[in-house]
Each structure stands twice: as structure tokens, then as C-alpha cells.
Amino acid sequence: MKNILEVKNLKVSFHTYAGEVQAVRGVSFELKKGEVLAIVGESGCGKSVTSQTIMRLIPSPPSFIKEGSILFDEKVDLLQLTPKEMELIRGSEIGMIFQDPMTSLNPTMTIGKQITEGLVKHQGLSKDKAQKQAIELLSLVGIPRPETRIKQYPHEFSGGMRQRVMIAISLACRPKLLIADEPTTALDVTIQAQIIDLLKDLQEKIGSSIIIITHNLGVVADIAQRVVVMYAGKIVEQGTVDDIFYRAQHPYTRGLLHSILRLDDEKGELVPIEGMPPDLLAPPTGCAFAARCQHTMNICLKEDPQPQLIQDEHNTACWLLDKRMRAGIS
């Protein structure tokens, strides 16, 4: 299956008064057409910066892209496009569901106006046709009485309904790629399940590829086919959902899995990952997770491990899995 997106060696930093914050440090991954890919990790690991860089939404300054490429639909490097060229792709071919719908939606505009904007701009529809399509989109995402609700403002909707509106806006032009940045944050468990079911249903209907950014591993297990695990601006492990949940190799990935409750665990105890992530103003020389890892060796403090292929698409960046370590060479 062909790739809809190829991110290669992406490095993104931010200028601050304290110095350069290296938010994303050499991230590479691929997304196949029709696939759902989850990017997981603790807060501050670079998940959202990566997704916003794909959309070219991070402000510059203070951000700047040091290196890398983002190839979309095997045709164009998004990082080489002018702002006007990117505007033609953003919304029409790549859609995004933002983390907080209350701050992402314009409080001074009706829901209908916010949905029809993209339809008029990218598809050249008349206002009447755009209005009809907007009503169909609201119905598609499960909002009752769409003919009435389309005239209302964001504050008249609940949190779950606002998130549905954000999904309708992102799907308005039937994009090839949909990026969902923490789409279930601040929603109760019942609404979270509804939103995930909605995304799965819509993905089947329109065939879009999806990148879902989350720290909720339950959401990952429910919707994704492949998973990318990030830590301190780098990818430490990636593979299929089964690889990550049942055959995780990196100590950080295992730590994430142990820090969530399991129904088959009679003790029901959470095992947190001790310590704090490194300061990305001055990233460590070796493995970024070494200070928190129970298996740290001397080489972990000196050199950064490179990804090691475990099987098929499953790879892990850890010295424990290096062929030289397996051979007893340190």
C-alpha cells in the first residue's frame, strides 16, 4: 500500500530567552493510505509540535525547522511550499481536529458559517450549496436537528457536541489526511467512546488516513493500526498495535503500559515512571531516557541508540536491543 505521508528526520526548535528548545529531534515515520496511526507519549515529548509542523501551523519565529522533509501524497514536500501554496492544501487535502474545541472555534461566528468557509474557499460552492452540505455534515457527525443547530454559536453546544462540530469542519472537504490532536481531552469517558466510534465510522466511510495524537492508550487500542511512541522529541519505538501492547521492547514503552490500570490485574496498582523528562534546552548526550531507566548502562549515558529492527515494521531505539549488546560487546 502506498504512503500518504512520509516524515523524514524532522528537527524543530524554538528560540527562547533561555536558549534553543529542541522540541523535535530527528523524527521519521510513514503513514499508509487508509491507515490510522497513533502518536503517544508524555506531555512535552513533541507530539503536537510534530503534527502542527505537518500542517505548517507553528509560528515562525519563535519556531524554526532545522532539518527534514514531509512528503505528502508522494508528490510534494510540505516544508518547501509557500504560505499561499500551503493554504490550498490545508483544509482541502489535510484536515485537523484541534485539542480544545472551545478555543479553536470562533465564538463570534455561527457553527454554519465556520463549516461553510472551507467549502466556499476550497470547493467554490455557492453559499446555498455550502449551507446544505454543512447540514449534511452535522447530521453525519451525529448532531440532532442540524437545520436549527447550524444557526447557533459554539457556547450553545456541549463539549462533546463542539468536538463533533470540529470533526465536521475538518471533514468538510473530504481530506486525504486527518490529524486529530488529543480529540478526547477534557471529555468524560462516555463521550470519549462516542467520539472514537465516530472517527472510526467516518474513516471507513470517506477513507481518510488518520494521525491521532494522544496519551490515552485505551484510545490507541481502540482505533489505531500502528503506533509511534515519542520521548523527549524522538521516536523510541514504533510498530503495530499488537507489537506495542504485547511485544513492547523499550523500557519507556513498557513504563507507559504499566502506568495504566488493567482489568486483568487483581492488585489494580499503578506503577508510575519515576523521575522527570530531560530539559530540551540541553538534551542529554546519550539516551534521553537513561536517567529514568532501570537498565541504564555506561554506553546509554555516552551515545544515543539508533533504531533496531525487531520484526517487520517493529523497531526500537534502545541499547539493550543492539546487536553488539546481544553479542556481549559493551
Side-chain angles (χ1 to χ4, degrees):
M1 190 178 294
K2 294 182 178 179
N3 293 327
I4 189 70
L5 188 75
E6 296 179 20
V7 178
K8 296 181 180 179
N9 197 33
L10 182 64
K11 297 181 181 180
V12 184
S13 292
F14 289 83
H15 287 302
T16 69
Y17 290 112
E20 177 190 339
V21 176
Q22 300 176 44
V24 177
R25 305 187 297 140
V27 164
S28 299
F29 64 87
E30 299 173 348
L31 175 67
K32 297 178 176 64
K33 292 186 177 180
E35 182 181 46
V36 180
L37 173 73
I39 302 179
V40 303
E42 292 172 294
S43 297
C45 70
K47 305 185 303 292
S48 292
V49 173
T50 299
S51 66
Q52 290 177 22
T53 303
I54 293 171
M55 291 290 287
R56 295 278 301 275
L57 289 175
I58 55 172
S60 179
S63 73
F64 63 100
I65 299 168
K66 298 176 67 175
E67 195 176 328
S69 64
I70 302 175
L71 191 63
F72 175 67
D73 203 15
E74 299 184 320
K75 299 174 184 176
V76 59
D77 184 354
L78 299 179
L79 300 183
Q80 302 302 317
L81 298 181
T82 65
K84 287 187 177 180
E85 290 172 333
M86 192 63 205
E87 280 184 15
L88 298 176
I89 291 179
R90 192 188 299 124
S92 61
E93 296 191 60
I94 305 178
M96 187 164 188
I97 305 169
F98 292 95
Q99 191 169 141
D100 185 356
M102 193 59 201
T103 56
S104 301
L105 293 170
N106 190 328
T108 67
M109 293 171 60
T110 64
I111 294 302
K113 176 66 174 175
Q114 296 186 60
I115 298 175
T116 57
E117 266 189 330
L119 294 169
V120 172
K121 178 178 180 179
H122 294 295
Q123 297 191 350
L125 299 183
S126 66
K127 289 185 178 180
D128 289 340
K129 288 184 177 180
Q131 186 87 348
K132 289 180 180 178
Q133 194 160 327
I135 292 172
E136 291 175 2
L137 283 164
L138 288 182
S139 179
L140 182 67
V141 298
I143 292 182
R145 299 180 291 107
E147 299 86 356
T148 301
R149 303 304 297 262
I150 202 170
K151 301 174 184 177
Q152 296 179 324
Y153 291 84
H155 71 272
E156 299 178 80
F157 288 69
S158 66
M161 287 296 182
R162 284 195 292 266
Q163 193 62 284
R164 290 172 185 266
V165 170
M166 285 297 302
I167 293 173
I169 293 173
S170 67
L171 293 175
C173 296
R174 305 276 168 159
K176 297 176 182 177
L177 170 61
L178 179 63
I179 301 174
D181 187 1
E182 300 279 9
T184 59
T185 296
L187 300 178
D188 63 58
V189 176
T190 303
I191 302 301
Q192 284 185 23
Q194 292 176 1
I195 295 298
I196 293 304
D197 286 342
L198 174 61
L199 284 175
K200 291 192 316 189
D201 185 50
L202 292 174
Q203 197 264 342
E204 291 176 2
K205 287 181 179 178
I206 68 175
S208 293
S209 302
I210 297 177
I211 295 177
I212 183 164
I213 315 293
T214 184
H215 59 267
N216 188 329
L217 294 178
V219 168
V220 173
D222 195 19
I223 193 173
Q225 281 96 51
R226 284 196 309 117
V227 185
V228 166
V229 182
M230 289 189 66
Y231 182 77
K234 290 192 171 188
I235 293 176
V236 296
E237 188 164 7
Q238 59 179 310
T240 65
V241 168
D242 284 348
D243 287 334
I244 300 302
F245 279 84
Y246 300 111
R247 296 181 289 274
Q249 299 295 315
H250 198 282
Y252 176 65
T253 308
R254 291 177 176 175
L256 289 179
L257 293 171
H258 291 152
S259 65
I260 60 174
L261 287 173
R262 294 172 58 97
L263 294 176
D264 58 354
D265 183 1
E266 294 181 359
K267 294 182 179 180
E269 295 181 358
L270 293 176
V271 183
I273 303 174
E274 299 293 338
M276 296 291 290
D279 184 357
L280 294 184
L281 276 168
T285 302
C287 174
F289 190 63
R292 306 173 72 185
C293 183
Q294 297 177 347
H295 309 286
T296 300
M297 301 175 287
N298 286 335
I299 195 169
C300 301
L301 302 172
K302 299 175 182 178
E303 296 183 35
D304 198 17
Q306 297 304 307
Q308 302 291 319
L309 182 64
I310 308 300
Q311 185 179 8
D312 298 329
E313 297 177 276
H314 186 194
N315 63 70
T316 305
C318 179
W319 280 114
L320 291 172
L321 300 168
D322 189 276
K323 294 178 181 178
R324 291 171 292 175
M325 295 298 122
R326 292 177 180 178
I329 302 173
S330 60

